[in-house]
């Protein structure tokens, strides 16, 4: 589960201030360019971009003067980003499973591959596998 840090360290807040210097103007540019239908030059000159650039600079200055002042901005953005992160992670995991693992499993099923030896063998007396030699305790430290 995603855990939101409501009391981040000063170092993390200063890093957030530097990221905000570039992140807020980038968000303003993307909103102006994509959603308002502006060209790149118009988006850079738009009021939204300039306001977001000002917010980025202000966030950096506050983070360098007293990092504790930007905790509300940091925590607010983490709260907004948490549900987005959950949706994206579940979507990516589902895509990986259904687009990569499932076709591979179906291919193995069709070709008859059974590496775990899970098929029932009616003529077998036991499914016990006897090992030839026991590993030495030193081999536990050499995993590869």
């Amino acid at each position: 589960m995603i855990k939101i840090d409501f009391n981040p360290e000063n170092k993390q807040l200063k890093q957030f201030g530097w990221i905000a210097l570039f992140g807020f103007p980038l968000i303003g540019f993307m909103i102006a360019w994509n959603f308002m239908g502006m060209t790149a030059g118009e988006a850079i000159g738009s009021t939204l971009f300039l306001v977001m650039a000002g917010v980025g600079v202000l966030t950096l200055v506050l983070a360098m003067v007293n990092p504790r002042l930007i905790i509300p901005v940091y925590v607010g953005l983490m709260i907004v980003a948490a549900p987005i992160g959950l949706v994206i992670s579940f979507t990516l995991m589902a895509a990986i499973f259904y687009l990569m693992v499932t076709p591979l499993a179906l291919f193995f099923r069709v070709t008859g591959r059974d590496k775990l030896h899970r098929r029932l063998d009616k003529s077998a007396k036991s499914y016990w596998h006897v090992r030839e030699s026991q590993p030495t305790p030193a081999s536990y430290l050499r995993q590869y």
Side-chain angles (χ1 to χ4, degrees):
M1 193 70 176
I2 295 175
K3 183 181 176 189
I4 298 173
D5 187 9
F6 289 103
N7 191 18
E9 297 178 7
N10 287 346
K11 180 182 177 186
Q12 192 171 2
L13 291 170
K14 286 181 181 182
Q15 289 174 346
F16 175 74
W18 281 105
I19 293 169
L21 178 65
F22 300 102
F24 281 121
L26 180 64
I27 291 169
F29 175 78
M30 288 176 18
I31 291 172
W33 188 37
N34 289 329
F35 298 115
M36 295 183 179
M38 296 181 172
T39 63
E42 292 172 338
I44 291 174
S46 75
T47 307
L48 178 64
F49 173 77
L50 297 175
V51 167
M52 293 298 278
V55 169
V57 170
L58 180 65
T59 304
L60 175 65
V61 169
L62 290 175
M64 293 302 129
V65 171
N66 184 3
R68 303 318 256 164
L69 294 174
I70 64 167
I71 286 179
V73 177
Y74 175 83
V75 171
L77 288 176
M78 292 300 117
I79 290 172
V80 168
I84 297 169
L86 281 173
V87 169
I88 289 174
S89 65
F90 279 117
T91 304
L92 286 176
M93 291 303 291
I96 289 170
F97 183 79
Y98 289 114
L99 298 176
M100 293 178 68
V101 176
T102 302
L104 187 64
L106 291 173
F107 174 74
F108 287 159
R109 170 86 44 112
V110 169
T111 59
R113 180 178 176 179
D114 185 23
K115 281 296 214 184
L116 296 178
H117 307 291
R118 293 183 50 189
R119 279 200 200 111
L120 294 177
D121 185 8
K122 303 223 189 245
S123 64
K125 294 179 183 177
S126 172
Y127 289 102
W128 186 262
H129 294 285
V130 179
R131 289 191 160 209
E132 319 278 307
S133 65
Q134 292 294 329
T136 63
S139 70
Y140 299 148
L141 300 175
R142 296 186 319 265
Q143 295 183 11
Y144 301 105

